[in-house]
Amino acid sequence: MLEWASMKKKQQKKLLVIIGIALVLLIAAIVIVKIKGQKTEEEVATTATAKKRLNAPINVLALDKRPVVALQPYSKNGGRFVSIVVSQLREAAYEAEYEISYDVIGASAVSASGAKIAVPDSESQEGTQGFMGTLDISNLPTSTSDNRFGTCSAGGACINNNVSGGTLTLNFSGEQKFAVMSNWTYFETGSAESKTNDEVFTLQADGLAKAKDYLIMEAMGVPDGVPGTIATKPDGGKDNGTKPVAYQINFTTAPSVDEAKVSFAGYEGKTVAVWNGKTWSTGTQDESLPLGNGYYYLILENV
């Protein structure tokens, strides 16, 4: 009788051990399934970024279908800002994103009261910075605001970056995805001879020496009615795109000069077309041509 009771207790212990092992395995299996079903924070962020960024082919859309875009600098509360202005879309789109990267060549700082203060070591280094966002293209023209070259703290102190130039990329989504990208050169203080960073386009006028905070951008698209065929060049990107040999100038404050000489390195002797905001005209390089905010200058082929 005692032997039977002892055997029964051993069987019960064995059964409890088996049940315990089974429960452990079951819990482990559930945990593994949950882990496999979940994404890490990095994976989630990567997925979200992939969904957000349109990543369309760059500068491969036909030139006459590219959007007309300006990059307008302006000043506010002592800071440098830039606004992206889309005035015309020739290819239908319902969604747009922008990204600006720019080269910092120094910085200055002001307190909340506007007094100059020392630039923190973390902000004084040179390098590349940028900003990105979405564009509301439901109504045109449309523009961005508060894209500042620099930062402001919650306490009001602001870092103002010194800028030499950068790139602007716009991604659009419609029946097809397409993107345009161009370089731009920034001039904080004027120079009688203003040359773009790519060393192709030069604008020369004595009055420019007194100008401050203006930029010259490679045109993405150009206004309608160009009196000839626009010269193009490879954009050097991964999609084998092209750029028009065209530039637009935009001032924070327009200078007291309304004419300038222009030249295009590598396109000497070719005809220049000028857009004054209303009409196109043509001229030759190194002669005085109209100058003003938002004016386009481009090279015509076979004219």
Side-chain angles (χ1 to χ4, degrees), residues 44-74:
V44 171
T46 301
T47 302
T49 301
K51 288 182 178 179
K52 180 184 176 184
R53 299 302 305 281
L54 299 178
N55 292 326
I58 297 174
N59 291 344
V60 297
L61 193 69
L63 184 57
D64 60 359
K65 293 184 178 296
R66 297 185 190 182
V68 179
V69 180
L71 200 55
Q72 178 64 54
Y74 64 98

mmCIF file of all heavy atoms in Angstrom, residues 44-74:
data_model
loop_
_atom_site.group_PDB
_atom_site.id
_atom_site.type_symbol
_atom_site.label_atom_id
_atom_site.label_comp_id
_atom_site.label_asym_id
_atom_site.label_seq_id
_atom_site.Cartn_x
_atom_site.Cartn_y
_atom_site.Cartn_z
ATOM 1 N N VAL A 44 10.650 50.780 -38.273
ATOM 2 C CA VAL A 44 9.426 51.577 -38.409
ATOM 3 C C VAL A 44 9.756 52.935 -38.999
ATOM 4 O O VAL A 44 9.083 53.431 -39.904
ATOM 5 C CB VAL A 44 8.724 51.742 -37.037
ATOM 6 C CG1 VAL A 44 7.594 52.745 -37.156
ATOM 7 C CG2 VAL A 44 8.189 50.403 -36.554
ATOM 8 N N ALA A 45 10.830 53.555 -38.480
ATOM 9 C CA ALA A 45 11.226 54.876 -38.979
ATOM 10 C C ALA A 45 11.617 54.803 -40.443
ATOM 11 O O ALA A 45 11.268 55.661 -41.246
ATOM 12 C CB ALA A 45 12.387 55.418 -38.146
ATOM 13 N N THR A 46 12.349 53.719 -40.791
ATOM 14 C CA THR A 46 12.770 53.555 -42.176
ATOM 15 C C THR A 46 11.571 53.387 -43.091
ATOM 16 O O THR A 46 11.498 53.966 -44.174
ATOM 17 C CB THR A 46 13.709 52.338 -42.311
ATOM 18 O OG1 THR A 46 14.833 52.539 -41.470
ATOM 19 C CG2 THR A 46 14.155 52.153 -43.758
ATOM 20 N N THR A 47 10.600 52.591 -42.659
ATOM 21 C CA THR A 47 9.391 52.378 -43.454
ATOM 22 C C THR A 47 8.622 53.671 -43.620
ATOM 23 O O THR A 47 8.140 53.998 -44.707
ATOM 24 C CB THR A 47 8.495 51.316 -42.787
ATOM 25 O OG1 THR A 47 9.235 50.111 -42.659
ATOM 26 C CG2 THR A 47 7.256 51.061 -43.623
ATOM 27 N N ALA A 48 8.485 54.427 -42.518
ATOM 28 C CA ALA A 48 7.752 55.690 -42.578
ATOM 29 C C ALA A 48 8.434 56.660 -43.523
ATOM 30 O O ALA A 48 7.786 57.350 -44.310
ATOM 31 C CB ALA A 48 7.649 56.301 -41.180
ATOM 32 N N THR A 49 9.777 56.696 -43.456
ATOM 33 C CA THR A 49 10.517 57.582 -44.340
ATOM 34 C C THR A 49 10.336 57.177 -45.786
ATOM 35 O O THR A 49 10.143 58.010 -46.664
ATOM 36 C CB THR A 49 12.019 57.563 -43.981
ATOM 37 O OG1 THR A 49 12.166 57.969 -42.620
ATOM 38 C CG2 THR A 49 12.809 58.503 -44.884
ATOM 39 N N ALA A 50 10.378 55.867 -46.037
ATOM 40 C CA ALA A 50 10.209 55.380 -47.406
ATOM 41 C C ALA A 50 8.841 55.745 -47.948
ATOM 42 O O ALA A 50 8.686 56.084 -49.112
ATOM 43 C CB ALA A 50 10.415 53.867 -47.442
ATOM 44 N N LYS A 51 7.814 55.696 -47.087
ATOM 45 C CA LYS A 51 6.475 56.053 -47.533
ATOM 46 C C LYS A 51 6.349 57.552 -47.751
ATOM 47 O O LYS A 51 5.657 58.009 -48.639
ATOM 48 C CB LYS A 51 5.446 55.574 -46.507
ATOM 49 C CG LYS A 51 5.246 54.069 -46.482
ATOM 50 C CD LYS A 51 4.184 53.672 -45.474
ATOM 51 C CE LYS A 51 3.963 52.167 -45.483
ATOM 52 N NZ LYS A 51 2.947 51.759 -44.493
ATOM 53 N N LYS A 52 7.037 58.328 -46.897
ATOM 54 C CA LYS A 52 6.932 59.772 -46.989
ATOM 55 C C LYS A 52 7.657 60.315 -48.206
ATOM 56 O O LYS A 52 7.135 61.158 -48.927
ATOM 57 C CB LYS A 52 7.499 60.424 -45.729
ATOM 58 C CG LYS A 52 7.433 61.947 -45.755
ATOM 59 C CD LYS A 52 8.096 62.548 -44.544
ATOM 60 C CE LYS A 52 8.100 64.074 -44.634
ATOM 61 N NZ LYS A 52 8.825 64.693 -43.517
ATOM 62 N N ARG A 53 8.900 59.850 -48.432
ATOM 63 C CA ARG A 53 9.694 60.361 -49.530
ATOM 64 C C ARG A 53 9.233 59.763 -50.848
ATOM 65 O O ARG A 53 9.092 58.561 -50.991
ATOM 66 C CB ARG A 53 11.172 60.041 -49.293
ATOM 67 C CG ARG A 53 11.763 60.642 -48.031
ATOM 68 C CD ARG A 53 11.625 62.153 -48.009
ATOM 69 N NE ARG A 53 12.197 62.761 -49.202
ATOM 70 C CZ ARG A 53 13.503 62.953 -49.380
ATOM 71 N NH1 ARG A 53 14.354 62.599 -48.466
ATOM 72 N NH2 ARG A 53 13.941 63.504 -50.497
ATOM 73 N N LEU A 54 9.015 60.638 -51.822
ATOM 74 C CA LEU A 54 8.514 60.173 -53.108
ATOM 75 C C LEU A 54 9.621 59.565 -53.966
ATOM 76 O O LEU A 54 9.382 58.654 -54.735
ATOM 77 C CB LEU A 54 7.856 61.344 -53.845
ATOM 78 C CG LEU A 54 6.643 61.970 -53.132
ATOM 79 C CD1 LEU A 54 6.116 63.159 -53.931
ATOM 80 C CD2 LEU A 54 5.539 60.939 -52.933
ATOM 81 N N ASN A 55 10.843 60.110 -53.847
ATOM 82 C CA ASN A 55 11.998 59.545 -54.540
ATOM 83 C C ASN A 55 11.743 59.286 -56.021
ATOM 84 O O ASN A 55 11.871 58.175 -56.509
ATOM 85 C CB ASN A 55 12.440 58.246 -53.858
ATOM 86 C CG ASN A 55 13.022 58.505 -52.480
ATOM 87 O OD1 ASN A 55 13.660 59.512 -52.265
ATOM 88 N ND2 ASN A 55 12.775 57.597 -51.561
ATOM 89 N N ALA A 56 11.349 60.319 -56.747
ATOM 90 C CA ALA A 56 11.046 60.182 -58.169
ATOM 91 C C ALA A 56 12.307 60.363 -59.010
ATOM 92 O O ALA A 56 13.307 60.910 -58.548
ATOM 93 C CB ALA A 56 9.997 61.217 -58.559
ATOM 94 N N PRO A 57 12.281 59.900 -60.275
ATOM 95 C CA PRO A 57 13.409 60.133 -61.182
ATOM 96 C C PRO A 57 13.650 61.636 -61.355
ATOM 97 O O PRO A 57 12.710 62.406 -61.539
ATOM 98 C CB PRO A 57 12.950 59.478 -62.493
ATOM 99 C CG PRO A 57 11.923 58.478 -62.066
ATOM 100 C CD PRO A 57 11.227 59.085 -60.888
ATOM 101 N N ILE A 58 14.911 62.055 -61.301
ATOM 102 C CA ILE A 58 15.256 63.472 -61.270
ATOM 103 C C ILE A 58 15.660 63.988 -62.653
ATOM 104 O O ILE A 58 16.487 63.389 -63.341
ATOM 105 C CB ILE A 58 16.401 63.725 -60.270
ATOM 106 C CG1 ILE A 58 15.943 63.358 -58.857
ATOM 107 C CG2 ILE A 58 16.865 65.176 -60.311
ATOM 108 C CD1 ILE A 58 17.050 63.446 -57.827
ATOM 109 N N ASN A 59 15.054 65.116 -63.054
ATOM 110 C CA ASN A 59 15.415 65.867 -64.266
ATOM 111 C C ASN A 59 15.326 65.046 -65.545
ATOM 112 O O ASN A 59 16.108 65.257 -66.486
ATOM 113 C CB ASN A 59 16.821 66.466 -64.133
ATOM 114 C CG ASN A 59 16.888 67.577 -63.105
ATOM 115 O OD1 ASN A 59 15.870 68.127 -62.694
ATOM 116 N ND2 ASN A 59 18.087 67.898 -62.658
ATOM 117 N N VAL A 60 14.394 64.107 -65.585
ATOM 118 C CA VAL A 60 14.200 63.340 -66.823
ATOM 119 C C VAL A 60 12.890 63.725 -67.521
ATOM 120 O O VAL A 60 12.668 63.341 -68.664
ATOM 121 C CB VAL A 60 14.222 61.810 -66.553
ATOM 122 C CG1 VAL A 60 15.570 61.387 -66.014
ATOM 123 C CG2 VAL A 60 13.113 61.402 -65.600
ATOM 124 N N LEU A 61 12.036 64.478 -66.847
ATOM 125 C CA LEU A 61 10.808 64.968 -67.467
ATOM 126 C C LEU A 61 11.169 65.932 -68.592
ATOM 127 O O LEU A 61 12.139 66.700 -68.484
ATOM 128 C CB LEU A 61 9.957 65.675 -66.408
ATOM 129 C CG LEU A 61 8.497 66.000 -66.760
ATOM 130 C CD1 LEU A 61 7.690 64.714 -66.861
ATOM 131 C CD2 LEU A 61 7.896 66.917 -65.700
ATOM 132 N N ALA A 62 10.387 65.908 -69.668
ATOM 133 C CA ALA A 62 10.635 66.822 -70.786
ATOM 134 C C ALA A 62 10.657 68.261 -70.283
ATOM 135 O O ALA A 62 9.860 68.645 -69.418
ATOM 136 C CB ALA A 62 9.558 66.644 -71.847
ATOM 137 N N LEU A 63 11.569 69.055 -70.812
ATOM 138 C CA LEU A 63 11.761 70.415 -70.314
ATOM 139 C C LEU A 63 10.485 71.241 -70.370
ATOM 140 O O LEU A 63 10.190 72.017 -69.452
ATOM 141 C CB LEU A 63 12.867 71.105 -71.126
ATOM 142 C CG LEU A 63 13.257 72.515 -70.671
ATOM 143 C CD1 LEU A 63 13.692 72.515 -69.212
ATOM 144 C CD2 LEU A 63 14.351 73.070 -71.570
ATOM 145 N N ASP A 64 9.691 71.071 -71.425
ATOM 146 C CA ASP A 64 8.476 71.881 -71.549
ATOM 147 C C ASP A 64 7.366 71.423 -70.598
ATOM 148 O O ASP A 64 6.304 72.035 -70.548
ATOM 149 C CB ASP A 64 7.966 71.890 -72.993
ATOM 150 C CG ASP A 64 7.616 70.490 -73.507
ATOM 151 O OD1 ASP A 64 7.792 69.498 -72.755
ATOM 152 O OD2 ASP A 64 7.162 70.380 -74.662
ATOM 153 N N LYS A 65 7.617 70.339 -69.837
ATOM 154 C CA LYS A 65 6.646 69.873 -68.854
ATOM 155 C C LYS A 65 7.100 70.118 -67.413
ATOM 156 O O LYS A 65 6.402 69.767 -66.461
ATOM 157 C CB LYS A 65 6.360 68.379 -69.057
ATOM 158 C CG LYS A 65 5.634 68.052 -70.357
ATOM 159 C CD LYS A 65 5.308 66.576 -70.437
ATOM 160 C CE LYS A 65 4.539 66.261 -71.714
ATOM 161 N NZ LYS A 65 3.224 66.923 -71.744
ATOM 162 N N ARG A 66 8.259 70.718 -67.251
ATOM 163 C CA ARG A 66 8.780 70.936 -65.897
ATOM 164 C C ARG A 66 8.130 72.159 -65.251
ATOM 165 O O ARG A 66 7.744 73.113 -65.942
ATOM 166 C CB ARG A 66 10.304 71.101 -65.933
ATOM 167 C CG ARG A 66 11.005 69.842 -66.434
ATOM 168 C CD ARG A 66 12.514 69.964 -66.363
ATOM 169 N NE ARG A 66 13.151 68.852 -67.063
ATOM 170 C CZ ARG A 66 14.462 68.660 -67.147
ATOM 171 N NH1 ARG A 66 15.285 69.518 -66.556
ATOM 172 N NH2 ARG A 66 14.948 67.624 -67.806
ATOM 173 N N PRO A 67 8.029 72.150 -63.927
ATOM 174 C CA PRO A 67 7.392 73.265 -63.226
ATOM 175 C C PRO A 67 8.253 74.519 -63.251
ATOM 176 O O PRO A 67 9.484 74.449 -63.343
ATOM 177 C CB PRO A 67 7.230 72.738 -61.796
ATOM 178 C CG PRO A 67 8.337 71.745 -61.650
ATOM 179 C CD PRO A 67 8.462 71.082 -63.000
ATOM 180 N N VAL A 68 7.590 75.666 -63.172
ATOM 181 C CA VAL A 68 8.296 76.941 -63.082
ATOM 182 C C VAL A 68 8.415 77.280 -61.596
ATOM 183 O O VAL A 68 7.412 77.465 -60.905
ATOM 184 C CB VAL A 68 7.552 78.051 -63.842
ATOM 185 C CG1 VAL A 68 8.292 79.376 -63.703
ATOM 186 C CG2 VAL A 68 7.411 77.667 -65.315
ATOM 187 N N VAL A 69 9.646 77.338 -61.116
ATOM 188 C CA VAL A 69 9.910 77.462 -59.679
ATOM 189 C C VAL A 69 10.930 78.566 -59.437
ATOM 190 O O VAL A 69 11.907 78.691 -60.179
ATOM 191 C CB VAL A 69 10.457 76.130 -59.105
ATOM 192 C CG1 VAL A 69 10.728 76.264 -57.610
ATOM 193 C CG2 VAL A 69 9.492 74.991 -59.377
ATOM 194 N N ALA A 70 10.704 79.359 -58.410
ATOM 195 C CA ALA A 70 11.661 80.385 -58.001
ATOM 196 C C ALA A 70 12.093 80.113 -56.567
ATOM 197 O O ALA A 70 11.348 79.535 -55.776
ATOM 198 C CB ALA A 70 11.037 81.775 -58.107
ATOM 199 N N LEU A 71 13.292 80.540 -56.251
ATOM 200 C CA LEU A 71 13.813 80.450 -54.892
ATOM 201 C C LEU A 71 14.059 81.890 -54.442
ATOM 202 O O LEU A 71 15.006 82.540 -54.878
ATOM 203 C CB LEU A 71 15.102 79.633 -54.880
ATOM 204 C CG LEU A 71 15.561 79.020 -53.560
ATOM 205 C CD1 LEU A 71 14.470 78.162 -52.931
ATOM 206 C CD2 LEU A 71 16.825 78.205 -53.758
ATOM 207 N N GLN A 72 13.156 82.385 -53.587
ATOM 208 C CA GLN A 72 13.158 83.790 -53.221
ATOM 209 C C GLN A 72 13.742 84.005 -51.822
ATOM 210 O O GLN A 72 13.170 83.572 -50.830
ATOM 211 C CB GLN A 72 11.728 84.350 -53.253
ATOM 212 C CG GLN A 72 11.600 85.809 -52.850
ATOM 213 C CD GLN A 72 12.318 86.739 -53.819
ATOM 214 O OE1 GLN A 72 12.073 86.707 -55.023
ATOM 215 N NE2 GLN A 72 13.221 87.567 -53.299
ATOM 216 N N PRO A 73 14.896 84.675 -51.728
ATOM 217 C CA PRO A 73 15.454 84.958 -50.400
ATOM 218 C C PRO A 73 14.741 86.148 -49.760
ATOM 219 O O PRO A 73 14.235 87.035 -50.458
ATOM 220 C CB PRO A 73 16.914 85.287 -50.712
ATOM 221 C CG PRO A 73 16.866 85.885 -52.082
ATOM 222 C CD PRO A 73 15.760 85.163 -52.810
ATOM 223 N N TYR A 74 14.706 86.173 -48.434
ATOM 224 C CA TYR A 74 14.157 87.343 -47.733
ATOM 225 C C TYR A 74 14.734 87.387 -46.320
ATOM 226 O O TYR A 74 15.292 86.391 -45.827
ATOM 227 C CB TYR A 74 12.630 87.316 -47.704
ATOM 228 C CG TYR A 74 11.997 86.177 -46.946
ATOM 229 C CD1 TYR A 74 11.551 86.343 -45.633
ATOM 230 C CD2 TYR A 74 11.800 84.927 -47.545
ATOM 231 C CE1 TYR A 74 10.944 85.308 -44.937
ATOM 232 C CE2 TYR A 74 11.199 83.894 -46.858
ATOM 233 C CZ TYR A 74 10.766 84.090 -45.556
ATOM 234 O OH TYR A 74 10.172 83.055 -44.862
#
